[in-house]
């Protein structure tokens, strides 16, 4: 790998003013200088203050020697290639990212080591009686060396982080597929995949399904929710929320704002191994939102609409209940049918109390009594049969949006 091209650092003119035979002298002192630089780095950078007999210590030692070698090589051959040394620091940077460490420690070590090495080699230059021009040129070369190896380390770190992020996303995608799939889910399988995905397994979860984005030009972006697993490519997009009931975490303003105006349905909270059940109900709730049976806008929590979800869990059977229970209303005209259905539902829910029905519908009690007489003609004694009354409540509750739209 070719070393990065330094920007804003000295050119080869600095090396040109340094005697070439100085390189041999400095190379002879390289191991001793490396010992002192390594010790100084361990003393000043806590992350490197560990025994030197492990892989971490060997990497530190190799890095010090390589950087010093690069410095001396710049003196011996200003036009020489430093691919091998740059590759060493590239790998050091990659190693920091793979281990999940910050690049700050490595960059600190480079600064500390470079300054200390320059002090030691600068003393050698003064002992040799070199003039100030040569000493200044050596300082420029030291700066150039630190800059080159730092850029190589940063490039390696960035490359590894990019691959690490992509791999982490793939692992989290596999974990989400397991949790929301059709097959059985074992706690052991969840723990295994969660470990590789760096995801803390919560005790309980809920699944959110999202409607189409308000602005199609913004693309599919998951809500910024800590610890959530998202699949924005599925239809509908879905997000798994960890511990959704903890301190109202996902019921407040910040969660709604994070959805950026998208209607959403939050499935019931369930054990993590039953996440697919939460997805099933959230998907059904989102469909009912689109039909106007549940509120079309905002966030709908399935836990607040369980009876509606139950009513619509078997649409074909529900349609049969509606057709049979509401058949007598077919004799009324369209507008009259909707008003009678509204009055009948209010009457059934209020315990047959006329004043309560009038207050609920904001109409005069006499109007209520008039409509009830019409309903008596249509339904007869069936209005007082407990089983029929239950069927009517179910049918009227589930058919309310349809009846209203036909007024």
């Amino acid at each position: 790998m070719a070393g990065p091209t330094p920007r804003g650092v000295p050119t080869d003119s600095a090396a040109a003013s340094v005697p070439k035979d100085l390189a041999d002298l400095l190379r002879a002192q390289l191991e001793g200088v490396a010992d002192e630089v390594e010790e100084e780095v361990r003393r000043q950078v806590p992350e490197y203050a560990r025994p030197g007999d492990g892989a971490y210590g060997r990497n530190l030692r190799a890095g010090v020697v390589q950087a010093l070698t690069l410095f001396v090589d710049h003196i011996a051959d200003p036009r020489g290639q430093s691919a091998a040394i740059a590759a060493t620091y590239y790998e050091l940077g990659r190693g920091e990212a793979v281990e999940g460490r910050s690049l700050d420690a490595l960059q600190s070590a480079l600064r500390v080591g470079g300054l200390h090495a320059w002090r030691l080699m600068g003393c050698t230059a003064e002992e040799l009686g070199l003039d100030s021009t040569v000493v200044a040129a050596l300082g420029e070369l030291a700066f150039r060396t630190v800059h080159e190896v730092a850029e190589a380390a940063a490039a390696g770190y960035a490359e590894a982080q990019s691959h690490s992020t992509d791999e982490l996303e793939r692992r989290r995608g596999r974990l989400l597929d397991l949790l929301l799939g059709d097959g059985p889910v074992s706690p052991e399988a969840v723990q295994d995949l969660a470990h590789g995905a760096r995801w803390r397994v919560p005790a309980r979860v809920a699944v959110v399904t999202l409607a189409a984005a308000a602005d199609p030009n913004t693309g599919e972006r998951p809500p910024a929710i800590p610890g959530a697993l998202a699949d924005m490519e599925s239809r509908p997009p879905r997000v798994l929320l960890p511990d959704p009931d903890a301190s109202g975490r996902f019921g407040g303003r910040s969660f709604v704002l994070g959805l950026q105006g998208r209607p959403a349905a939050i499935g019931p909270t369930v054990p993590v191994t039953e996440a697919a059940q939460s997805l099933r109900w959230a998907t059904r709730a989102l469909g009912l939102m689109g039909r106007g049976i549940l509120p079309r806008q905002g966030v709908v929590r399935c836990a607040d609409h369980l009876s509606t979800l139950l009513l619509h869990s078997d649409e074909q059977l529900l349609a049969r209940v509606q057709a049979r229970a509401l058949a007598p209303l077919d004799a009324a005209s369209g507008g009259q049918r909707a008003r009678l259905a509204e009055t009948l539902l209010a009457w059934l829910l209020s315990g047959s109390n006329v004043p309560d029905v009038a207050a609920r519908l904001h109409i005069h009690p006499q109007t209520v009594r008039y409509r009830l007489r019409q309903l008596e003609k249509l339904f007869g004694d069936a209005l007082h049969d407990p089983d029929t009354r239950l069927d009517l409540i179910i049918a009227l509750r589930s058919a309310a949006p349809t009846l209203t739209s036909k007024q």
Side-chain angles (χ1 to χ4, degrees):
M1 189 200 79
T5 302
R7 295 182 298 274
V9 297
T11 62
D12 293 336
S13 60
S17 60
V18 179
K20 300 297 183 293
D21 56 355
L22 182 59
D24 294 334
L25 179 61
L26 294 177
R27 201 182 303 278
Q29 300 178 359
L30 195 145
E31 287 295 329
V33 173
D35 289 340
E36 293 193 42
V37 171
E38 181 180 356
E39 183 179 348
E40 184 69 11
V41 170
R42 292 184 187 279
R43 188 179 69 81
Q44 291 200 39
V45 185
E47 290 83 353
Y48 288 85
R50 59 182 72 185
D53 55 350
Y56 210 88
R58 289 193 298 273
N59 287 339
L60 172 60
R61 176 68 181 188
V64 170
V65 171
Q66 291 277 27
L68 293 173
T69 300
L70 177 60
F71 173 68
V72 174
D73 287 347
H74 278 320
I75 298 174
D77 182 7
R79 300 181 181 279
Q81 298 297 313
S82 54
I85 294 173
T88 296
Y89 274 85
Y90 187 88
E91 289 303 317
L92 282 174
R94 286 188 77 259
E96 294 297 286
V98 169
E99 293 298 323
R101 291 188 290 265
S102 167
L103 187 60
D104 293 344
L106 180 57
Q107 300 287 30
S108 295
L110 289 175
R111 289 191 296 271
V112 169
L115 180 60
H116 195 66
W118 163 238
R119 286 171 180 164
L120 295 174
M121 291 188 169
C123 290
T124 299
E126 290 179 0
E127 290 171 0
L128 293 173
L130 300 176
D131 61 41
S132 59
T133 302
V134 174
V135 174
L138 283 173
E140 291 185 19
L141 285 176
F143 179 78
R144 171 180 171 174
T145 300
V146 171
H147 186 87
E148 285 188 16
V149 296
E151 277 203 338
Y157 189 90
E159 186 269 343
Q161 254 198 339
S162 174
H163 283 288
S164 175
T165 300
D166 291 344
E167 178 60 24
L168 190 63
E169 288 302 314
R170 283 192 290 271
R171 291 179 180 181
R172 291 191 170 186
R174 290 196 294 270
L175 173 60
L176 191 59
D177 288 343
L178 171 69
L179 292 173
L180 302 184
D182 296 329
V185 179
S186 70
E188 294 77 17
V190 174
Q191 287 288 353
D192 287 345
L193 282 180
H195 178 74
R198 298 181 190 173
W199 189 68
R200 183 187 65 82
V201 179
R204 298 174 71 78
V205 298
V207 177
V208 177
T209 53
L210 304 174
D215 183 358
N217 296 321
T218 60
E220 292 289 357
R221 294 194 301 269
I225 302 172
L229 300 177
D231 179 3
M232 305 304 290
E233 301 300 321
S234 65
R235 289 294 175 265
R238 55 203 189 180
V239 181
L240 184 141
L241 308 177
D243 297 321
D245 299 328
S247 302
R249 213 173 150 199
F250 301 109
R253 178 177 173 81
S254 60
F255 172 64
V256 175
L257 290 176
L259 295 175
Q260 299 180 344
R262 301 180 72 163
I266 304 180
T269 299
V270 296
V272 66
T273 55
E274 298 175 18
Q277 293 293 329
S278 184
L279 170 64
R280 182 164 67 91
W281 289 109
T283 302
R284 177 159 295 162
L286 190 67
L288 295 178
M289 291 173 68
R291 293 163 54 189
I293 295 171
L294 291 176
R296 292 182 181 274
Q297 301 299 320
V299 178
V300 168
R301 301 181 67 94
C302 287
D304 299 333
H305 301 277
L306 294 178
S307 60
T308 302
L309 290 168
L310 177 61
L311 285 177
H312 291 270
S313 60
D314 189 330
E315 296 281 1
Q316 291 182 340
L317 183 58
L318 180 60
R320 289 181 178 273
V321 172
Q322 291 173 348
R324 177 180 175 182
L326 303 181
L329 287 175
D330 292 340
S333 63
Q336 186 185 32
R337 185 174 189 270
R339 289 191 293 273
L340 290 176
E342 179 185 49
T343 304
L344 178 56
L345 179 59
W347 181 72
L348 292 168
L349 294 178
S350 63
S352 307
N353 186 296
V354 171
D356 284 352
V357 175
R360 182 190 292 257
L361 300 182
H362 306 289
I363 58 178
H364 195 279
Q366 280 299 104
T367 304
V368 175
R369 293 188 181 94
Y370 170 73
R371 293 179 184 177
L372 288 175
R373 287 194 293 272
Q374 291 180 294
L375 289 167
E376 290 278 1
K377 292 179 182 178
L378 294 173
F379 287 90
D381 293 338
L383 284 180
H384 305 286
D385 177 68
D387 291 336
T388 300
R389 289 166 71 100
L390 177 60
D391 287 348
L392 283 169
I393 291 174
I394 292 173
L396 289 165
R397 283 287 299 270
S398 59
T402 304
L403 290 169
T404 302
S405 66
K406 291 181 179 180
Q407 288 191 60

